[in-house]
Amino acid sequence: MTRRIRVAIFLPALGLFGVLLAWALVGIPDFGHYRGPYGYLLNRVALPERHMTNVVTSVVFDYRGFDTMGEEFILFAAVLGVVLLLRQGGREQPDELNDSVGSDGVRIGGVLAVGACVLVSLWLIAYGFVTPGGGFQGGAALASSVVLVFLVSSHKAWSGVASDHALDPFDGVGAGGYVVIGLGALIGGLPFLTNVLGPGVPGTLWSGGSAAFVNWSAGMEVAAANLILFTEFIDEYVVPLAAGDTAG
Amino acid sequence: MSVFPYLVAGWICVIGLYGIVTSKHLIHLALCLTVTQSSTYVLLLAVGYVQGGGPPIFKGVKLGTTAVDPVVQSLTLTDIVVSVTVLALILALALDVHDELDTMDPDRIAELQG
Amino acid sequence: MSWMLPLPVVIPLLGAAVNVALDHVTPRWLHTTIALVAVTTGLCFSIIVLVHSMSGETLHWFGGWTPRSGVAIGVGFAVDPLGAGFAVLACALTLAALLYSIPYIEAATRNYDALVIVLCGACCGFALSGDLFNMFVWLELAGVCGYALTGFDIRRMSALQGAVNFAVVNTVGGYFVLIGIALVYARTGALNLAQIGRTLSGQHPSGLLIVAMTLIVCGFLCKAAIVPFHFWLGDAYAVAPAPVCLIFAGIVTDIGLFGVGRVWFTVFDAPFGSHQRFVGDALLWLGIVTALVGGAMALVQQHLKRLLAFSVICHIGIMLVGLGLLSSKGVAGAAMMLLAHGVTTGGLFLAAGLLGVREPVRWTAGLWFCGAIALIGPPYVGVYMGHALIDDAAVELGRHWVQPLIWLAGALAGAAMLRAGAQVFLGLADDYDHGIEEGRDGPVPYLATITTVLVALGTAVSVVPGLAQRVVRGADRFRDRAGYANRVLHGIPMKESAHLPVVLQPTSTESLIYGSAALVFAVALAAFAVRRPDAARTRVFEPVLWPLRQLQTGVIGDYVMWVVVGTAVLGGVWAITLR
Amino acid sequence: MLVASLEPLQYSIFILVAIAATAVVLTRDVQRQIVVNGFYGILLVILFVVFAAPDVALSMLAVSTVGYPLVVLIAIAKGRAK
């Protein structure tokens, strides 16, 4: 089938699809007039019952914590998949790759920046139950800040920070920790993922109860998973480059 | 025009699909997939929006203040973080295809496959 | 005992996490052991859950968030016998696949076991869940595992292309489901299936609901590979390693159909109940077309696993016919067929895998023919009981024309398998490219034993006394929207029901005749194709199938185009008929 | 009340997002596309803030500043290198 035939069949179908979609969308209650009841109920009860000021995080890690466990495992499985695909055939690590950034100023500034970003990320995870943030956002931010190490220093420094030997345990423990906390409640005779330690003190680090631990394990998992992913891609990029250097 | 935000979400979905079908490059295709996915974020958040409502965070705000729906936000935020890994998975497949066939044009790939 | 419900899901997931955490410090045999233990534990618990779900308490609210005055505030598992049975099947087939993989998959392949058991957990979660978004999460998880498992066998280029097509089509399908969920949420403000159904009951069918249903159903049908969403399946299943194909064919494809059934009988039955004929008929026709296309395409394949892939499409189509009849017997027929087909086809994929290990042996040939006959379904063999129940359901609704069409489709796929068996296993033709990667390791007796167990179980499904009656009872519960909502939202237990007999389900004379005729037809067609291959190819197969093959281009743009076309057409048809 | 007075801002950001999404799709050159996509990501972040969803905005920010660009740029570089 040529491209022209494909587009000729596709455009009318897409038009019909769009019309149907629009027909559905105009049936939604007017913008800004959400009718509930789910969200309104949670907004009402989350603070009094769970002592968490950030309702979104309480939904993510407490009310619908089981969904989040599934999402976390999507991350986990996708990373396993990327590793499986990119690490086929046991790629060699380059011995030495002279790609360090020349200026000391850049390096010092970079290290400071990395430190600051890491601190902000940890703060995002820790105070997720109080202010915007939480394990998912903080974990992603943490991984992003560690990638800065690669950008401001050398590949050598990077591979010291992010090797799969160091990261895989975090990945596994983060994902497994979530399940173990859930199972803990189950062994105690309560439903899976029951928040046994809550409610905590509103506005503090411990406002989450045991959901705070869930939050931290999710943060660990998200950060480790993203870092493994970035490591795999960076190696994919750097290693052939290094091989090219030595050959040329 | 108070359904305008939903229609924007619908448009993003449709244009993303258009990009996927007409794409000539697997990386382009993967990014179009993320565009289609972003339509779900826009739609979900628009659905849960309350006019005049603040974020569902009651830190320094009296409980009972009008706030938007927290559920759609929780559904969206995990999905966004996950989307990178799924994108990476598809790109990893695309890279392996490229290693073998030296092309990322879906039409050419099918041709070379026979 | 409701504490057991999460275990078939979380134990495999925990096993995978432990495997990865210990990745660099422990040997491979320990990983395999952990995986096997996790899946076996999941299997045991899912069997207990199945037994209890027949009568007892079957709810689990995660985090202890029970509904308040009919509003669900957490995620819940609500298990009925069909869901629990699906979880049992998922764990059992995964166990078989893992055992087969021990010698079959290279030891160097890291993370393989972990991905397989996460896939198992995801499928169980999908079957047990009572929450729309939670179902979506498990669907995505199963998808992500699936893409990676398809593409990792990198020695063959086509594996990658199959995986890319699989990934893109199913990702688009997933977005459709999510948009549908957003629409439903906008209307009802709920994610719990029972609560959505309750909110929508008595509501007038609106454009929003019609399109939401279209999107959710089409997203699920992408996973189930129903025409015209099916193109990716041939590409993907033909290239995945044999044990992975076993899991795909047995459970991953089927969760799409399961999802369609689940959302219809708990949610959309409420607003569209008075128009259910139109919904059912659309599914019925999609199913018939899928079955015939799958059967016909199977006939012309020269590649063993591709042939099996099209046979999967054929049988998925027949199951959709059963589902589309929307009656208890129809659903039960689909479930019986799912069981028999999943186990048998899985066994056949493993038999195909055996070819790569050693020279073809006669024992394998016997297995292959046994499995092929089980998939045709002569009286009381293999898929027969599923066929017979669907027949009964069709007759009850006055649709006699359904029977010959689906029996014909099954016979076409069966003929293709008989022909391939004669050519590949008995060596009646040399030019048959069976498409199996040679050079696998593994002790043949060990692998053949697993294969034999699966084929034997699949063949014997129809003669298990009392099974069909229990599946029909399960289907009754699967369809009971009001009872489901009462149990989930208000904790009202079900009524005590009469004890079921443990005897063979009687079937109609028509089914007996059709079953026998299908076998005769398949054998005759296969014999013709083997004896006069050129005549068969040039006069019969090629002219009929040329257009179908032209569509199977392998270009991802074409496949996504068909997804949009299918969704738009189905949505248009429902927009006209359901208003 | 503050948000209610931002009606024109809401509409303009919606229009911008729609235009940017279209631009991402229509940019056929992948190197240019990743730049446009970064811009689209930032617009989405702003949109999420307008929707009173700071959590989602943070999520998008973390992902669209490093995640998408890094992964895609390396894929592009890899594609060019061969």
Side-chain angles (χ1 to χ4, degrees), chain A residues 6 10 13 20 23-24 34 36-38 41 49-50 62-64 66-67 69-70 73 76 78 80-81 84 87-88 164-165 168 172 176 191-192, chain C residues 10 13 17 20 23-24 60-63 65 68 73-74 77 110-111 131 133-134 137-138 141 144 148 152 185 188-189 207 211 555 558 561 565:
Chain A
R6 184 198 310 161
F10 175 64
L20 285 171
W23 186 39
Y34 169 71
Y38 199 176
L41 180 70
E49 279 183 9
R50 302 278 16 135
D62 199 339
Y63 292 100
R64 297 187 69 85
F66 190 62
D67 270 351
M69 192 184 91
F73 271 89
F76 177 82
L80 286 185
L84 199 58
R87 266 187 216 163
Q88 290 276 326
D164 51 326
H165 285 257
D168 279 358
F192 191 79
Chain C
V10 299
L13 296 186
V20 170
D23 197 8
H24 298 280
H60 188 97
W61 291 100
F62 290 94
W65 297 112
R68 290 179 200 169
I73 56 174
F77 272 5
R110 293 177 56 208
N111 300 337
D131 185 282
F133 188 78
N134 197 239
V137 169
W138 299 123
L141 180 54
V144 166
F152 85 90
Y185 185 77
T188 62
V211 176
V555 181
D558 289 347
M561 184 265 284
V565 170

Coordinates of all heavy atoms in Angstrom, one line a residue, chain A residues 6 10 13 20 23-24 34 36-38 41 49-50 62-64 66-67 69-70 73 76 78 80-81 84 87-88 164-165 168 172 176 191-192, chain C residues 10 13 17 20 23-24 60-63 65 68 73-74 77 110-111 131 133-134 137-138 141 144 148 152 185 188-189 207 211 555 558 561 565:
Chain A
R6 N -2.7 5.2 1.7 CA -2.9 5.2 3.1 C -3.6 6.5 3.6 O -4.6 6.5 4.3 CB -1.6 5.0 3.8 CG -1.7 4.9 5.3 CD -0.4 5.2 6.0 NE 0.7 4.4 5.5 CZ 2.0 4.7 5.7 NH1 2.3 5.7 6.4 NH2 2.9 3.9 5.1
F10 N -7.1 7.3 5.3 CA -6.9 7.8 6.7 C -7.7 9.1 6.9 O -8.4 9.2 7.9 CB -5.4 7.9 7.0 CG -5.2 8.4 8.4 CD1 -5.6 7.7 9.5 CD2 -4.5 9.7 8.5 CE1 -5.4 8.2 10.8 CE2 -4.3 10.2 9.8 CZ -4.7 9.5 10.9
A13 N -11.4 8.9 7.6 CA -11.6 8.2 8.9 C -11.2 9.1 10.1 O -12.0 9.1 11.1 CB -10.8 6.9 8.9
L20 N -16.7 12.5 15.9 CA -17.3 11.7 17.1 C -16.7 12.1 18.4 O -17.4 12.3 19.4 CB -16.9 10.2 16.9 CG -17.7 9.4 15.8 CD1 -17.1 8.1 15.6 CD2 -19.2 9.3 16.2
W23 N -18.2 15.3 19.4 CA -19.6 15.1 19.8 C -19.6 14.6 21.3 O -20.4 15.1 22.1 CB -20.2 14.0 19.0 CG -21.6 13.7 19.2 CD1 -22.6 14.6 19.4 CD2 -22.2 12.4 19.2 NE1 -23.8 13.9 19.6 CE2 -23.6 12.6 19.4 CE3 -21.8 11.1 18.9 CZ2 -24.5 11.5 19.4 CZ3 -22.6 10.0 19.0 CH2 -24.0 10.3 19.2
A24 N -18.6 13.8 21.7 CA -18.5 13.4 23.1 C -18.1 14.5 23.9 O -18.6 14.7 25.0 CB -17.5 12.2 23.2
Y34 N -17.0 21.0 37.3 CA -16.8 19.6 37.7 C -17.9 19.3 38.7 O -18.1 20.0 39.7 CB -15.4 19.4 38.3 CG -15.2 18.1 39.0 CD1 -15.2 16.9 38.2 CD2 -15.1 18.0 40.4 CE1 -15.0 15.7 38.9 CE2 -14.9 16.8 41.0 CZ -14.9 15.6 40.2 OH -14.7 14.4 40.9
G36 N -18.3 16.1 40.5 CA -18.0 15.2 41.5 C -18.7 13.9 41.3 O -19.0 13.6 40.2
P37 N -18.9 13.1 42.3 CA -18.7 13.3 43.8 C -17.2 13.0 44.3 O -16.8 13.4 45.3 CB -19.7 12.4 44.4 CG -19.8 11.2 43.5 CD -19.6 11.8 42.1
Y38 N -16.5 12.2 43.5 CA -15.3 11.6 44.0 C -14.3 12.7 44.5 O -13.9 12.6 45.7 CB -14.6 10.8 42.9 CG -13.6 9.8 43.3 CD1 -13.0 8.9 42.3 CD2 -13.2 9.6 44.6 CE1 -12.1 8.0 42.7 CE2 -12.3 8.6 45.0 CZ -11.7 7.8 44.0 OH -10.8 6.9 44.3
L41 N -15.5 14.7 47.6 CA -15.4 13.9 48.8 C -14.0 13.9 49.4 O -13.8 14.1 50.6 CB -15.9 12.5 48.5 CG -16.0 11.6 49.7 CD1 -17.1 12.0 50.7 CD2 -16.2 10.1 49.3
E49 N -9.1 13.4 58.0 CA -8.9 11.9 58.3 C -7.4 11.5 58.2 O -7.0 10.7 59.0 CB -9.7 11.1 57.2 CG -11.1 11.0 57.6 CD -11.8 10.1 56.5 OE1 -11.1 9.5 55.7 OE2 -13.0 10.0 56.6
R50 N -6.7 12.0 57.2 CA -5.4 11.5 57.0 C -4.3 12.5 57.4 O -3.2 12.2 57.3 CB -5.2 11.2 55.5 CG -6.2 10.2 55.0 CD -5.8 8.7 55.2 NE -4.9 8.5 56.2 CZ -5.0 7.5 57.1 NH1 -6.1 6.8 57.2 NH2 -4.1 7.3 58.0
D62 N -2.2 7.0 49.2 CA -3.0 6.4 50.2 C -4.3 5.9 49.6 O -4.5 4.7 49.4 CB -3.3 7.4 51.3 CG -3.7 6.7 52.6 OD1 -4.2 5.6 52.5 OD2 -3.6 7.3 53.7
Y63 N -5.2 6.8 49.2 CA -6.5 6.4 48.7 C -6.4 5.5 47.5 O -7.1 4.5 47.4 CB -7.4 7.6 48.4 CG -7.8 8.4 49.6 CD1 -7.1 9.6 49.9 CD2 -8.8 8.0 50.4 CE1 -7.5 10.3 51.1 CE2 -9.2 8.7 51.5 CZ -8.5 9.8 51.9 OH -8.8 10.5 53.0
R64 N -5.6 5.9 46.5 CA -5.4 5.1 45.3 C -4.0 4.6 45.2 O -3.4 4.5 44.1 CB -5.8 5.8 44.1 CG -7.3 6.2 44.1 CD -7.7 6.8 42.7 NE -7.7 5.9 41.7 CZ -8.7 5.1 41.4 NH1 -9.8 5.1 42.1 NH2 -8.7 4.2 40.4
F66 N -2.8 1.7 45.4 CA -2.7 0.5 44.7 C -2.5 0.8 43.2 O -1.6 0.1 42.5 CB -3.9 -0.4 44.9 CG -3.7 -1.8 44.3 CD1 -2.8 -2.6 44.9 CD2 -4.5 -2.3 43.3 CE1 -2.6 -3.9 44.4 CE2 -4.4 -3.6 42.8 CZ -3.4 -4.4 43.4
D67 N -3.2 1.8 42.6 CA -2.9 2.2 41.3 C -1.5 2.6 41.1 O -0.8 2.3 40.1 CB -3.8 3.4 40.9 CG -5.1 3.1 40.4 OD1 -5.3 1.9 40.1 OD2 -5.9 4.0 40.3
M69 N 1.1 1.7 42.7 CA 1.9 0.5 42.7 C 2.0 0.0 41.3 O 3.1 -0.4 40.8 CB 1.4 -0.5 43.6 CG 2.4 -1.6 43.9 SD 1.7 -2.9 44.9 CE 1.0 -4.0 43.7
G70 N 0.9 -0.1 40.6 CA 0.9 -0.6 39.2 C 1.7 0.3 38.3 O 2.5 -0.1 37.5
F73 N 5.2 -0.2 38.7 CA 5.7 -1.4 38.0 C 5.8 -1.2 36.5 O 6.5 -1.9 35.8 CB 5.0 -2.6 38.4 CG 5.6 -3.3 39.7 CD1 5.2 -2.9 40.9 CD2 6.6 -4.2 39.6 CE1 5.7 -3.4 42.1 CE2 7.2 -4.8 40.7 CZ 6.7 -4.4 41.9
F76 N 9.1 0.1 36.2 CA 10.0 -1.0 36.5 C 10.2 -1.9 35.3 O 11.3 -2.2 34.8 CB 9.4 -1.7 37.7 CG 10.2 -2.9 38.2 CD1 11.3 -2.8 39.0 CD2 9.8 -4.2 37.8 CE1 12.0 -3.9 39.4 CE2 10.5 -5.3 38.2 CZ 11.6 -5.2 39.0
A78 N 9.3 -1.3 32.1 CA 9.8 -0.6 30.9 C 11.4 -0.5 31.0 O 12.1 -0.7 30.0 CB 9.2 0.8 30.8
L80 N 13.3 -2.6 32.7 CA 13.8 -4.0 32.5 C 13.9 -4.2 31.0 O 14.8 -4.8 30.4 CB 12.9 -5.0 33.1 CG 12.9 -5.2 34.6 CD1 12.0 -6.4 34.9 CD2 14.3 -5.5 35.1
G81 N 12.8 -3.8 30.3 CA 12.8 -4.0 28.8 C 13.9 -3.2 28.1 O 14.6 -3.8 27.2
L84 N 17.1 -5.0 28.7 CA 17.1 -6.2 27.9 C 17.4 -6.0 26.5 O 18.2 -6.7 25.8 CB 15.7 -6.9 28.1 CG 15.5 -8.4 27.7 CD1 16.4 -9.2 28.6 CD2 14.1 -8.8 28.0
R87 N 21.2 -3.9 26.2 CA 22.4 -4.6 26.7 C 22.7 -5.9 26.0 O 23.5 -6.7 26.5 CB 22.3 -4.8 28.2 CG 22.9 -3.7 29.0 CD 22.9 -4.1 30.4 NE 22.6 -2.9 31.3 CZ 22.3 -3.0 32.5 NH1 22.1 -4.2 33.1 NH2 22.1 -1.9 33.2
Q88 N 22.0 -6.2 25.0 CA 22.2 -7.5 24.3 C 23.7 -7.6 23.8 O 24.2 -6.7 23.3 CB 21.3 -7.6 23.1 CG 19.9 -7.8 23.4 CD 19.5 -9.2 23.7 OE1 20.1 -10.1 23.1 NE2 18.7 -9.5 24.7
D164 N 25.2 0.1 36.7 CA 24.0 -0.7 36.9 C 24.1 -1.6 38.2 O 23.2 -1.9 38.8 CB 23.7 -1.6 35.7 CG 24.9 -2.3 35.2 OD1 26.0 -1.8 35.4 OD2 24.7 -3.5 34.7
H165 N 25.4 -1.9 38.5 CA 25.6 -2.7 39.8 C 25.1 -1.9 41.0 O 24.5 -2.4 41.9 CB 27.1 -3.0 40.0 CG 27.5 -4.1 39.0 ND1 27.7 -5.4 39.5 CD2 27.8 -4.1 37.7 CE1 28.1 -6.1 38.5 NE2 28.2 -5.3 37.4
D168 N 20.7 -1.2 40.2 CA 19.7 -2.2 40.2 C 19.1 -2.5 41.5 O 17.9 -2.7 41.7 CB 20.3 -3.5 39.5 CG 20.2 -3.4 38.0 OD1 19.7 -2.4 37.5 OD2 20.7 -4.3 37.3
G172 N 15.2 -2.4 42.5 CA 14.5 -3.6 43.0 C 13.9 -3.3 44.4 O 12.7 -3.6 44.7
G176 N 10.1 -3.2 45.3 CA 9.7 -4.3 46.2 C 9.3 -3.7 47.6 O 8.3 -4.2 48.2
P191 N -6.4 -4.7 55.3 CA -6.3 -4.8 53.9 C -4.9 -4.3 53.4 O -4.2 -3.6 54.1 CB -7.4 -3.8 53.4 CG -8.4 -3.8 54.5 CD -7.5 -4.0 55.8
F192 N -4.6 -4.8 52.2 CA -3.3 -4.5 51.6 C -3.1 -2.9 51.5 O -4.0 -2.2 51.2 CB -3.3 -5.0 50.2 CG -2.0 -5.0 49.5 CD1 -1.0 -5.9 49.8 CD2 -1.7 -4.1 48.5 CE1 0.2 -5.9 49.1 CE2 -0.5 -4.0 47.9 CZ 0.5 -5.0 48.2
Chain C
V10 N 0.3 -9.4 43.7 CA 1.5 -8.8 44.3 C 2.6 -9.7 44.6 O 3.8 -9.3 44.5 CB 1.1 -8.0 45.6 CG1 0.1 -7.0 45.4 CG2 0.7 -9.0 46.7
L13 N 4.8 -9.7 41.5 CA 5.5 -8.4 41.4 C 6.6 -8.4 42.4 O 7.7 -7.9 42.0 CB 4.5 -7.3 41.6 CG 3.4 -7.1 40.6 CD1 2.6 -5.8 40.9 CD2 3.9 -7.0 39.2
A17 N 10.7 -7.9 41.8 CA 11.5 -6.8 42.4 C 12.7 -7.5 43.2 O 13.8 -6.9 43.1 CB 10.6 -6.0 43.4
V20 N 15.4 -8.4 40.7 CA 16.2 -7.3 40.2 C 17.1 -6.8 41.3 O 18.3 -6.4 41.1 CB 15.3 -6.2 39.7 CG1 16.1 -4.9 39.4 CG2 14.6 -6.6 38.4
D23 N 20.1 -8.8 41.5 CA 20.6 -9.2 40.2 C 22.0 -9.5 40.1 O 22.4 -10.5 39.4 CB 20.3 -8.0 39.2 CG 20.3 -8.4 37.8 OD1 20.4 -9.7 37.5 OD2 20.2 -7.6 36.9
H24 N 22.9 -8.7 40.7 CA 24.3 -8.9 40.5 C 25.0 -9.8 41.5 O 26.2 -10.0 41.5 CB 25.0 -7.5 40.5 CG 24.5 -6.7 39.4 ND1 24.9 -6.8 38.1 CD2 23.5 -5.7 39.3 CE1 24.3 -6.0 37.3 NE2 23.4 -5.3 38.0
H60 N -12.0 -6.9 48.2 CA -10.9 -6.4 48.9 C -10.7 -5.0 48.6 O -10.5 -4.6 47.4 CB -9.6 -7.2 48.5 CG -8.4 -6.9 49.4 ND1 -8.1 -7.7 50.4 CD2 -7.5 -5.9 49.4 CE1 -7.0 -7.2 51.0 NE2 -6.7 -6.1 50.4
W61 N -10.8 -4.1 49.6 CA -10.7 -2.7 49.4 C -9.3 -2.3 49.8 O -8.9 -2.4 51.0 CB -11.7 -1.9 50.2 CG -13.1 -2.1 49.6 CD1 -14.0 -2.9 50.1 CD2 -13.6 -1.5 48.4 NE1 -15.1 -2.8 49.3 CE2 -14.9 -2.0 48.3 CE3 -13.1 -0.5 47.5 CZ2 -15.7 -1.6 47.2 CZ3 -13.9 -0.2 46.4 CH2 -15.2 -0.7 46.3
F62 N -8.4 -1.9 48.9 CA -7.0 -1.6 49.2 C -7.0 -0.4 50.1 O -7.7 0.6 50.0 CB -6.3 -1.3 47.9 CG -6.1 -2.6 47.1 CD1 -7.0 -2.9 46.1 CD2 -5.1 -3.5 47.4 CE1 -6.8 -4.1 45.5 CE2 -4.9 -4.7 46.8 CZ -5.8 -5.0 45.8
G63 N -6.1 -0.5 51.1 CA -6.0 0.6 52.1 C -7.1 0.6 53.1 O -7.2 1.5 53.9
W65 N -10.2 1.2 52.3 CA -11.1 2.3 52.0 C -12.4 1.8 51.4 O -12.6 1.7 50.2 CB -10.4 3.3 50.9 CG -9.2 3.9 51.5 CD1 -8.0 3.7 51.1 CD2 -9.2 4.9 52.5 NE1 -7.1 4.5 51.8 CE2 -7.8 5.3 52.7 CE3 -10.2 5.5 53.3 CZ2 -7.4 6.2 53.7 CZ3 -9.7 6.4 54.2 CH2 -8.4 6.8 54.4
R68 N -18.3 4.8 50.9 CA -19.2 5.5 51.9 C -20.5 5.9 51.2 O -20.4 6.6 50.2 CB -18.5 6.7 52.4 CG -17.4 6.3 53.3 CD -16.6 7.5 53.8 NE -15.3 7.0 54.2 CZ -14.3 7.8 54.6 NH1 -14.5 9.1 54.5 NH2 -13.2 7.2 55.0
I73 N -14.2 5.2 47.5 CA -13.1 6.2 47.6 C -11.7 5.6 47.5 O -10.7 6.3 47.4 CB -13.2 7.0 49.0 CG1 -13.1 6.0 50.1 CG2 -14.4 7.8 49.1 CD1 -13.0 6.7 51.5
G74 N -11.7 4.3 47.3 CA -10.4 3.7 47.1 C -10.5 2.7 45.9 O -11.5 2.8 45.1
F77 N -10.8 -4.7 44.6 CA -10.9 -6.0 43.8 C -12.2 -6.6 44.1 O -12.6 -6.7 45.2 CB -9.8 -7.0 44.2 CG -8.5 -6.8 43.4 CD1 -8.3 -5.8 42.6 CD2 -7.4 -7.7 43.6 CE1 -7.1 -5.6 41.9 CE2 -6.2 -7.6 42.9 CZ -6.1 -6.5 42.1
R110 N 19.3 -11.5 30.8 CA 19.0 -11.0 32.1 C 17.6 -10.5 32.2 O 17.0 -10.1 31.1 CB 19.9 -9.8 32.5 CG 21.3 -10.2 32.7 CD 22.2 -9.0 32.9 NE 21.6 -8.3 34.1 CZ 21.8 -7.0 34.2 NH1 22.4 -6.3 33.3 NH2 21.3 -6.4 35.3
N111 N 17.0 -10.6 33.3 CA 15.7 -9.9 33.6 C 14.5 -10.6 32.8 O 13.4 -10.2 33.0 CB 15.6 -8.5 33.1 CG 16.6 -7.7 33.9 OD1 17.1 -8.1 35.0 ND2 17.1 -6.6 33.3
D131 N -12.1 -1.7 39.2 CA -11.9 -0.2 39.1 C -11.4 0.1 37.7 O -10.5 -0.5 37.2 CB -10.9 0.3 40.1 CG -10.8 1.8 40.2 OD1 -10.1 2.3 39.3 OD2 -11.3 2.4 41.1
F133 N -9.9 2.7 36.2 CA -8.5 3.1 35.9 C -7.5 2.1 36.3 O -6.5 1.9 35.7 CB -8.3 4.4 36.7 CG -7.0 5.1 36.4 CD1 -6.8 5.8 35.2 CD2 -5.9 4.9 37.2 CE1 -5.6 6.3 34.9 CE2 -4.6 5.5 36.9 CZ -4.5 6.2 35.7
N134 N -7.8 1.3 37.4 CA -6.9 0.3 37.8 C -6.8 -0.8 36.7 O -5.7 -1.3 36.4 CB -7.5 -0.4 39.1 CG -6.5 -1.2 39.8 OD1 -6.7 -2.4 40.0 ND2 -5.4 -0.6 40.2
V137 N -4.3 0.6 34.2 CA -2.9 0.4 34.7 C -2.4 -1.0 34.4 O -1.3 -1.1 33.9 CB -2.8 0.7 36.2 CG1 -1.5 0.4 36.8 CG2 -3.1 2.2 36.5
W138 N -3.2 -2.0 34.7 CA -2.7 -3.4 34.5 C -2.6 -3.7 33.0 O -1.7 -4.4 32.6 CB -3.6 -4.4 35.2 CG -3.7 -4.2 36.7 CD1 -4.8 -4.0 37.4 CD2 -2.6 -4.2 37.6 NE1 -4.5 -3.9 38.7 CE2 -3.1 -4.0 38.9 CE3 -1.2 -4.4 37.4 CZ2 -2.3 -3.9 40.0 CZ3 -0.4 -4.3 38.6 CH2 -1.0 -4.1 39.8
L141 N 0.6 -2.2 31.9 CA 1.7 -2.9 32.4 C 1.9 -4.2 31.6 O 3.0 -4.5 31.2 CB 1.5 -3.3 33.9 CG 2.6 -4.1 34.6 CD1 3.9 -3.4 34.5 CD2 2.3 -4.3 36.1
V144 N 3.5 -3.2 28.3 CA 5.0 -2.9 28.4 C 5.8 -4.1 28.5 O 6.8 -4.3 27.8 CB 5.2 -1.9 29.5 CG1 6.7 -1.8 29.8 CG2 4.7 -0.5 29.2
A148 N 8.6 -5.7 25.3 CA 10.0 -6.0 25.6 C 10.2 -7.5 25.3 O 11.2 -7.9 24.7 CB 10.3 -5.7 27.0
F152 N 13.0 -8.9 22.5 CA 14.4 -9.0 23.1 C 15.2 -10.1 22.3 O 16.4 -10.1 22.4 CB 14.3 -9.4 24.5 CG 14.1 -10.8 24.8 CD1 15.2 -11.7 25.0 CD2 12.8 -11.4 24.9 CE1 15.0 -13.0 25.3 CE2 12.6 -12.7 25.2 CZ 13.7 -13.5 25.4
Y185 N -15.5 9.5 33.4 CA -15.3 10.2 34.7 C -15.9 11.6 34.7 O -16.5 12.0 35.7 CB -13.8 10.3 35.0 CG -13.5 10.9 36.4 CD1 -13.6 10.1 37.5 CD2 -13.1 12.2 36.5 CE1 -13.4 10.6 38.8 CE2 -12.8 12.7 37.8 CZ -13.0 12.0 38.9 OH -12.8 12.5 40.1
T188 N -19.6 10.8 35.3 CA -20.1 10.2 36.5 C -19.3 10.6 37.8 O -19.8 10.4 38.9 CB -20.0 8.7 36.4 OG1 -18.6 8.3 36.2 CG2 -20.8 8.1 35.2
G189 N -18.1 11.1 37.6 CA -17.3 11.4 38.8 C -16.9 10.2 39.6 O -16.8 10.2 40.8
G207 N -24.3 11.1 23.4 CA -23.1 11.0 22.5 C -21.9 10.7 23.3 O -21.0 9.9 22.9
V211 N -19.5 7.4 22.6 CA -18.1 7.5 22.1 C -17.2 7.0 23.2 O -16.2 6.3 22.9 CB -17.8 9.0 21.8 CG1 -16.3 9.1 21.5 CG2 -18.6 9.5 20.7
V555 N 3.7 -2.2 7.7 CA 4.1 -0.7 8.0 C 3.2 -0.2 9.1 O 2.0 -0.4 9.1 CB 3.8 0.1 6.7 CG1 4.1 1.5 6.9 CG2 4.5 -0.5 5.5
D558 N 0.2 2.1 8.4 CA -1.0 1.4 7.9 C -1.8 0.8 9.1 O -3.0 0.9 9.2 CB -0.6 0.3 7.0 CG -0.1 0.8 5.7 OD1 -0.3 2.0 5.4 OD2 0.5 0.0 4.9
M561 N -3.5 3.4 11.0 CA -4.6 3.9 10.2 C -5.8 3.0 10.3 O -6.9 3.5 10.5 CB -4.1 4.0 8.7 CG -5.1 4.5 7.7 SD -6.1 3.2 6.9 CE -4.9 2.6 5.8
V565 N -9.6 3.8 11.5 CA -10.7 3.5 10.7 C -11.7 2.7 11.4 O -12.9 2.9 11.5 CB -10.3 2.8 9.4 CG1 -11.5 2.3 8.6 CG2 -9.5 3.7 8.5

